[in-house]
Amino acid sequence: SNMMQIHNSFPDLVTSSIQHLNPLFLFFLVDVTQGRPQLVGGQPFAFRLSRSGYICLCAFSICGRVGVDLERHRICRDIRGIAEHYFHPKELQLLAAAQDYSKTFYTLWVLREALLKMQGIGLQVPLQKLRFFEQQGEWHYGGELQMGIPKFLVSEFSGYLLGLAVEGVSPLSFSLKRIEPGSLVADKLS
């Protein structure tokens, strides 16, 4: 499958992204219960993958758990219906007051998925119990479920929104690395 092609290329992607790692000491397995690659043996970093459209995003952290989500802005979705069903009442108030409803919706969504991926639980919790808010230009978690105190980052590029959640890191920064089609992962990811 196409996701398996990504998994098969993942060790090359990791070693090309983090220079000090020796590929001979990286061992990956695909966790068939959760469908994602995992490191075998106490390796010094955490990682997560996300894909939207034709872009695959890999996030790495040497300081703690990491979660990432990537979403392409799509006009055809019923984002108002999705928000009413899955968002916290305070987030619905934030959306109602937003100048750009779509961007605010996708920001709240990528933060939600990044946090749940960082926790390793996916979409298995009641999503309306999660709550995110912006304060002094930074995003924070203030929901009903205990999720620790991760740092968040949101970035927009080329019609996509990226959400990143990292445990125990301050300040938070990231870099994007372009992988040319056919070099490490399949040309078509869908």
Side-chain angles (χ1 to χ4, degrees), residues 92-116:
L92 294 175
Q93 291 173 4
L94 179 68
L95 280 168
Q99 289 183 354
D100 187 339
Y101 190 96
S102 178
K103 181 178 179 182
T104 304
F105 168 85
Y106 280 107
T107 296
L108 293 169
W109 189 263
V110 296
L111 288 169
R112 193 172 243 88
E113 283 210 33
L115 176 64
L116 295 175

PDB file of all heavy atoms in Angstrom, residues 92-116:
ATOM      1  N   LEU A  92     -16.581  27.079  20.073  1.00  0.00           N
ATOM      2  CA  LEU A  92     -17.658  27.525  19.184  1.00  0.00           C
ATOM      3  C   LEU A  92     -17.845  29.037  19.300  1.00  0.00           C
ATOM      4  O   LEU A  92     -18.094  29.712  18.294  1.00  0.00           O
ATOM      5  CB  LEU A  92     -18.955  26.783  19.501  1.00  0.00           C
ATOM      6  CG  LEU A  92     -18.938  25.279  19.215  1.00  0.00           C
ATOM      7  CD1 LEU A  92     -20.239  24.633  19.672  1.00  0.00           C
ATOM      8  CD2 LEU A  92     -18.669  24.999  17.752  1.00  0.00           C
ATOM      9  N   GLN A  93     -17.681  29.579  20.515  1.00  0.00           N
ATOM     10  CA  GLN A  93     -17.743  31.029  20.698  1.00  0.00           C
ATOM     11  C   GLN A  93     -16.582  31.711  19.978  1.00  0.00           C
ATOM     12  O   GLN A  93     -16.761  32.749  19.335  1.00  0.00           O
ATOM     13  CB  GLN A  93     -17.703  31.383  22.190  1.00  0.00           C
ATOM     14  CG  GLN A  93     -18.936  30.976  22.950  1.00  0.00           C
ATOM     15  CD  GLN A  93     -18.796  31.196  24.458  1.00  0.00           C
ATOM     16  OE1 GLN A  93     -17.786  31.719  24.933  1.00  0.00           O
ATOM     17  NE2 GLN A  93     -19.817  30.780  25.202  1.00  0.00           N
ATOM     18  N   LEU A  94     -15.397  31.112  20.070  1.00  0.00           N
ATOM     19  CA  LEU A  94     -14.225  31.643  19.376  1.00  0.00           C
ATOM     20  C   LEU A  94     -14.458  31.648  17.862  1.00  0.00           C
ATOM     21  O   LEU A  94     -14.151  32.624  17.172  1.00  0.00           O
ATOM     22  CB  LEU A  94     -12.987  30.806  19.733  1.00  0.00           C
ATOM     23  CG  LEU A  94     -11.667  31.190  19.095  1.00  0.00           C
ATOM     24  CD1 LEU A  94     -11.189  32.539  19.619  1.00  0.00           C
ATOM     25  CD2 LEU A  94     -10.616  30.123  19.393  1.00  0.00           C
ATOM     26  N   LEU A  95     -15.025  30.569  17.342  1.00  0.00           N
ATOM     27  CA  LEU A  95     -15.320  30.482  15.908  1.00  0.00           C
ATOM     28  C   LEU A  95     -16.348  31.531  15.484  1.00  0.00           C
ATOM     29  O   LEU A  95     -16.207  32.154  14.433  1.00  0.00           O
ATOM     30  CB  LEU A  95     -15.840  29.085  15.555  1.00  0.00           C
ATOM     31  CG  LEU A  95     -14.788  27.998  15.395  1.00  0.00           C
ATOM     32  CD1 LEU A  95     -15.447  26.632  15.341  1.00  0.00           C
ATOM     33  CD2 LEU A  95     -13.953  28.234  14.162  1.00  0.00           C
ATOM     34  N   ALA A  96     -17.389  31.726  16.303  1.00  0.00           N
ATOM     35  CA  ALA A  96     -18.438  32.685  15.963  1.00  0.00           C
ATOM     36  C   ALA A  96     -17.879  34.109  15.858  1.00  0.00           C
ATOM     37  O   ALA A  96     -18.355  34.906  15.053  1.00  0.00           O
ATOM     38  CB  ALA A  96     -19.557  32.629  17.000  1.00  0.00           C
ATOM     39  N   ALA A  97     -16.842  34.411  16.649  1.00  0.00           N
ATOM     40  CA  ALA A  97     -16.251  35.751  16.645  1.00  0.00           C
ATOM     41  C   ALA A  97     -15.089  35.883  15.660  1.00  0.00           C
ATOM     42  O   ALA A  97     -14.571  36.979  15.458  1.00  0.00           O
ATOM     43  CB  ALA A  97     -15.763  36.100  18.052  1.00  0.00           C
ATOM     44  N   ALA A  98     -14.678  34.787  15.034  1.00  0.00           N
ATOM     45  CA  ALA A  98     -13.486  34.791  14.173  1.00  0.00           C
ATOM     46  C   ALA A  98     -13.713  35.567  12.884  1.00  0.00           C
ATOM     47  O   ALA A  98     -14.780  35.470  12.268  1.00  0.00           O
ATOM     48  CB  ALA A  98     -13.073  33.359  13.842  1.00  0.00           C
ATOM     49  N   GLN A  99     -12.696  36.316  12.470  1.00  0.00           N
ATOM     50  CA  GLN A  99     -12.746  37.007  11.180  1.00  0.00           C
ATOM     51  C   GLN A  99     -12.617  36.010  10.033  1.00  0.00           C
ATOM     52  O   GLN A  99     -13.201  36.187   8.977  1.00  0.00           O
ATOM     53  CB  GLN A  99     -11.643  38.056  11.097  1.00  0.00           C
ATOM     54  CG  GLN A  99     -11.889  39.238  11.982  1.00  0.00           C
ATOM     55  CD  GLN A  99     -10.811  40.301  11.823  1.00  0.00           C
ATOM     56  OE1 GLN A  99      -9.813  40.112  11.123  1.00  0.00           O
ATOM     57  NE2 GLN A  99     -11.015  41.431  12.468  1.00  0.00           N
ATOM     58  N   ASP A 100     -11.815  34.965  10.229  1.00  0.00           N
ATOM     59  CA  ASP A 100     -11.620  33.925   9.213  1.00  0.00           C
ATOM     60  C   ASP A 100     -12.051  32.586   9.824  1.00  0.00           C
ATOM     61  O   ASP A 100     -11.265  31.893  10.459  1.00  0.00           O
ATOM     62  CB  ASP A 100     -10.154  33.884   8.770  1.00  0.00           C
ATOM     63  CG  ASP A 100      -9.912  32.945   7.605  1.00  0.00           C
ATOM     64  OD1 ASP A 100     -10.740  32.033   7.360  1.00  0.00           O
ATOM     65  OD2 ASP A 100      -8.878  33.114   6.935  1.00  0.00           O
ATOM     66  N   TYR A 101     -13.313  32.249   9.634  1.00  0.00           N
ATOM     67  CA  TYR A 101     -13.894  31.044  10.241  1.00  0.00           C
ATOM     68  C   TYR A 101     -13.134  29.794   9.837  1.00  0.00           C
ATOM     69  O   TYR A 101     -12.801  28.960  10.669  1.00  0.00           O
ATOM     70  CB  TYR A 101     -15.371  30.922   9.841  1.00  0.00           C
ATOM     71  CG  TYR A 101     -16.120  29.847  10.592  1.00  0.00           C
ATOM     72  CD1 TYR A 101     -16.865  30.164  11.713  1.00  0.00           C
ATOM     73  CD2 TYR A 101     -16.086  28.523  10.169  1.00  0.00           C
ATOM     74  CE1 TYR A 101     -17.560  29.181  12.405  1.00  0.00           C
ATOM     75  CE2 TYR A 101     -16.765  27.532  10.848  1.00  0.00           C
ATOM     76  CZ  TYR A 101     -17.500  27.864  11.969  1.00  0.00           C
ATOM     77  OH  TYR A 101     -18.173  26.886  12.654  1.00  0.00           O
ATOM     78  N   SER A 102     -12.829  29.659   8.547  1.00  0.00           N
ATOM     79  CA  SER A 102     -12.162  28.466   8.036  1.00  0.00           C
ATOM     80  C   SER A 102     -10.776  28.284   8.660  1.00  0.00           C
ATOM     81  O   SER A 102     -10.425  27.195   9.116  1.00  0.00           O
ATOM     82  CB  SER A 102     -12.053  28.541   6.514  1.00  0.00           C
ATOM     83  OG  SER A 102     -11.380  27.417   6.006  1.00  0.00           O
ATOM     84  N   LYS A 103      -9.983  29.341   8.693  1.00  0.00           N
ATOM     85  CA  LYS A 103      -8.642  29.238   9.261  1.00  0.00           C
ATOM     86  C   LYS A 103      -8.703  28.904  10.757  1.00  0.00           C
ATOM     87  O   LYS A 103      -7.932  28.083  11.243  1.00  0.00           O
ATOM     88  CB  LYS A 103      -7.857  30.530   9.042  1.00  0.00           C
ATOM     89  CG  LYS A 103      -6.443  30.457   9.587  1.00  0.00           C
ATOM     90  CD  LYS A 103      -5.665  31.718   9.327  1.00  0.00           C
ATOM     91  CE  LYS A 103      -4.268  31.602   9.922  1.00  0.00           C
ATOM     92  NZ  LYS A 103      -3.496  32.812   9.730  1.00  0.00           N
ATOM     93  N   THR A 104      -9.630  29.532  11.483  1.00  0.00           N
ATOM     94  CA  THR A 104      -9.767  29.245  12.911  1.00  0.00           C
ATOM     95  C   THR A 104     -10.221  27.807  13.121  1.00  0.00           C
ATOM     96  O   THR A 104      -9.712  27.109  14.004  1.00  0.00           O
ATOM     97  CB  THR A 104     -10.754  30.233  13.569  1.00  0.00           C
ATOM     98  OG1 THR A 104     -10.300  31.558  13.303  1.00  0.00           O
ATOM     99  CG2 THR A 104     -10.844  30.007  15.066  1.00  0.00           C
ATOM    100  N   PHE A 105     -11.161  27.328  12.300  1.00  0.00           N
ATOM    101  CA  PHE A 105     -11.606  25.941  12.386  1.00  0.00           C
ATOM    102  C   PHE A 105     -10.429  24.977  12.205  1.00  0.00           C
ATOM    103  O   PHE A 105     -10.212  24.074  13.017  1.00  0.00           O
ATOM    104  CB  PHE A 105     -12.681  25.633  11.332  1.00  0.00           C
ATOM    105  CG  PHE A 105     -12.959  24.161  11.203  1.00  0.00           C
ATOM    106  CD1 PHE A 105     -13.865  23.550  12.051  1.00  0.00           C
ATOM    107  CD2 PHE A 105     -12.301  23.390  10.259  1.00  0.00           C
ATOM    108  CE1 PHE A 105     -14.102  22.180  11.960  1.00  0.00           C
ATOM    109  CE2 PHE A 105     -12.536  22.028  10.151  1.00  0.00           C
ATOM    110  CZ  PHE A 105     -13.447  21.417  11.014  1.00  0.00           C
ATOM    111  N   TYR A 106      -9.672  25.161  11.123  1.00  0.00           N
ATOM    112  CA  TYR A 106      -8.553  24.251  10.851  1.00  0.00           C
ATOM    113  C   TYR A 106      -7.452  24.373  11.911  1.00  0.00           C
ATOM    114  O   TYR A 106      -6.793  23.389  12.238  1.00  0.00           O
ATOM    115  CB  TYR A 106      -8.007  24.457   9.435  1.00  0.00           C
ATOM    116  CG  TYR A 106      -8.863  23.767   8.401  1.00  0.00           C
ATOM    117  CD1 TYR A 106      -9.679  24.496   7.558  1.00  0.00           C
ATOM    118  CD2 TYR A 106      -8.867  22.385   8.292  1.00  0.00           C
ATOM    119  CE1 TYR A 106     -10.481  23.864   6.615  1.00  0.00           C
ATOM    120  CE2 TYR A 106      -9.666  21.743   7.365  1.00  0.00           C
ATOM    121  CZ  TYR A 106     -10.472  22.481   6.540  1.00  0.00           C
ATOM    122  OH  TYR A 106     -11.272  21.844   5.610  1.00  0.00           O
ATOM    123  N   THR A 107      -7.255  25.555  12.463  1.00  0.00           N
ATOM    124  CA  THR A 107      -6.284  25.711  13.551  1.00  0.00           C
ATOM    125  C   THR A 107      -6.701  24.856  14.747  1.00  0.00           C
ATOM    126  O   THR A 107      -5.891  24.099  15.295  1.00  0.00           O
ATOM    127  CB  THR A 107      -6.167  27.190  13.968  1.00  0.00           C
ATOM    128  OG1 THR A 107      -5.654  27.937  12.869  1.00  0.00           O
ATOM    129  CG2 THR A 107      -5.256  27.353  15.173  1.00  0.00           C
ATOM    130  N   LEU A 108      -7.957  24.962  15.144  1.00  0.00           N
ATOM    131  CA  LEU A 108      -8.446  24.168  16.282  1.00  0.00           C
ATOM    132  C   LEU A 108      -8.395  22.669  15.974  1.00  0.00           C
ATOM    133  O   LEU A 108      -8.100  21.864  16.853  1.00  0.00           O
ATOM    134  CB  LEU A 108      -9.870  24.596  16.647  1.00  0.00           C
ATOM    135  CG  LEU A 108      -9.987  26.015  17.209  1.00  0.00           C
ATOM    136  CD1 LEU A 108     -11.450  26.440  17.295  1.00  0.00           C
ATOM    137  CD2 LEU A 108      -9.303  26.125  18.567  1.00  0.00           C
ATOM    138  N   TRP A 109      -8.642  22.306  14.725  1.00  0.00           N
ATOM    139  CA  TRP A 109      -8.615  20.885  14.363  1.00  0.00           C
ATOM    140  C   TRP A 109      -7.188  20.312  14.391  1.00  0.00           C
ATOM    141  O   TRP A 109      -6.961  19.245  14.943  1.00  0.00           O
ATOM    142  CB  TRP A 109      -9.248  20.659  12.988  1.00  0.00           C
ATOM    143  CG  TRP A 109      -9.407  19.183  12.742  1.00  0.00           C
ATOM    144  CD1 TRP A 109      -8.561  18.370  12.043  1.00  0.00           C
ATOM    145  CD2 TRP A 109     -10.438  18.357  13.260  1.00  0.00           C
ATOM    146  NE1 TRP A 109      -9.008  17.074  12.089  1.00  0.00           N
ATOM    147  CE2 TRP A 109     -10.166  17.044  12.830  1.00  0.00           C
ATOM    148  CE3 TRP A 109     -11.564  18.583  14.050  1.00  0.00           C
ATOM    149  CZ2 TRP A 109     -10.985  15.964  13.162  1.00  0.00           C
ATOM    150  CZ3 TRP A 109     -12.376  17.512  14.363  1.00  0.00           C
ATOM    151  CH2 TRP A 109     -12.085  16.220  13.921  1.00  0.00           C
ATOM    152  N   VAL A 110      -6.222  21.031  13.811  1.00  0.00           N
ATOM    153  CA  VAL A 110      -4.857  20.487  13.789  1.00  0.00           C
ATOM    154  C   VAL A 110      -4.264  20.448  15.203  1.00  0.00           C
ATOM    155  O   VAL A 110      -3.483  19.549  15.526  1.00  0.00           O
ATOM    156  CB  VAL A 110      -3.913  21.230  12.806  1.00  0.00           C
ATOM    157  CG1 VAL A 110      -4.401  21.065  11.370  1.00  0.00           C
ATOM    158  CG2 VAL A 110      -3.690  22.674  13.166  1.00  0.00           C
ATOM    159  N   LEU A 111      -4.618  21.409  16.051  1.00  0.00           N
ATOM    160  CA  LEU A 111      -4.162  21.366  17.443  1.00  0.00           C
ATOM    161  C   LEU A 111      -4.729  20.142  18.150  1.00  0.00           C
ATOM    162  O   LEU A 111      -4.031  19.442  18.890  1.00  0.00           O
ATOM    163  CB  LEU A 111      -4.579  22.632  18.185  1.00  0.00           C
ATOM    164  CG  LEU A 111      -3.816  23.898  17.808  1.00  0.00           C
ATOM    165  CD1 LEU A 111      -4.499  25.126  18.403  1.00  0.00           C
ATOM    166  CD2 LEU A 111      -2.366  23.808  18.270  1.00  0.00           C
ATOM    167  N   ARG A 112      -5.996  19.869  17.928  1.00  0.00           N
ATOM    168  CA  ARG A 112      -6.689  18.721  18.517  1.00  0.00           C
ATOM    169  C   ARG A 112      -6.000  17.413  18.114  1.00  0.00           C
ATOM    170  O   ARG A 112      -5.654  16.594  18.953  1.00  0.00           O
ATOM    171  CB  ARG A 112      -8.122  18.792  17.971  1.00  0.00           C
ATOM    172  CG  ARG A 112      -9.123  17.973  18.564  1.00  0.00           C
ATOM    173  CD  ARG A 112     -10.494  18.397  17.961  1.00  0.00           C
ATOM    174  NE  ARG A 112     -11.350  18.907  19.006  1.00  0.00           N
ATOM    175  CZ  ARG A 112     -11.390  20.162  19.418  1.00  0.00           C
ATOM    176  NH1 ARG A 112     -10.682  21.072  18.841  1.00  0.00           N
ATOM    177  NH2 ARG A 112     -12.162  20.517  20.415  1.00  0.00           N
ATOM    178  N   GLU A 113      -5.807  17.244  16.824  1.00  0.00           N
ATOM    179  CA  GLU A 113      -5.189  15.994  16.356  1.00  0.00           C
ATOM    180  C   GLU A 113      -3.727  15.890  16.785  1.00  0.00           C
ATOM    181  O   GLU A 113      -3.261  14.801  17.133  1.00  0.00           O
ATOM    182  CB  GLU A 113      -5.320  15.876  14.834  1.00  0.00           C
ATOM    183  CG  GLU A 113      -6.713  15.467  14.427  1.00  0.00           C
ATOM    184  CD  GLU A 113      -6.728  14.670  13.145  1.00  0.00           C
ATOM    185  OE1 GLU A 113      -5.776  13.909  12.880  1.00  0.00           O
ATOM    186  OE2 GLU A 113      -7.711  14.808  12.404  1.00  0.00           O
ATOM    187  N   ALA A 114      -2.987  16.989  16.759  1.00  0.00           N
ATOM    188  CA  ALA A 114      -1.582  16.950  17.183  1.00  0.00           C
ATOM    189  C   ALA A 114      -1.472  16.541  18.654  1.00  0.00           C
ATOM    190  O   ALA A 114      -0.630  15.722  19.020  1.00  0.00           O
ATOM    191  CB  ALA A 114      -0.912  18.303  16.953  1.00  0.00           C
ATOM    192  N   LEU A 115      -2.331  17.103  19.506  1.00  0.00           N
ATOM    193  CA  LEU A 115      -2.308  16.752  20.923  1.00  0.00           C
ATOM    194  C   LEU A 115      -2.633  15.274  21.137  1.00  0.00           C
ATOM    195  O   LEU A 115      -1.936  14.580  21.885  1.00  0.00           O
ATOM    196  CB  LEU A 115      -3.306  17.619  21.706  1.00  0.00           C
ATOM    197  CG  LEU A 115      -3.444  17.281  23.191  1.00  0.00           C
ATOM    198  CD1 LEU A 115      -2.140  17.535  23.943  1.00  0.00           C
ATOM    199  CD2 LEU A 115      -4.588  18.070  23.817  1.00  0.00           C
ATOM    200  N   LEU A 116      -3.649  14.782  20.460  1.00  0.00           N
ATOM    201  CA  LEU A 116      -4.028  13.380  20.632  1.00  0.00           C
ATOM    202  C   LEU A 116      -2.963  12.433  20.082  1.00  0.00           C
ATOM    203  O   LEU A 116      -2.708  11.373  20.660  1.00  0.00           O
ATOM    204  CB  LEU A 116      -5.388  13.123  19.983  1.00  0.00           C
ATOM    205  CG  LEU A 116      -6.544  13.870  20.649  1.00  0.00           C
ATOM    206  CD1 LEU A 116      -7.832  13.654  19.863  1.00  0.00           C
ATOM    207  CD2 LEU A 116      -6.716  13.458  22.096  1.00  0.00           C
TER     208      LEU A 116
END
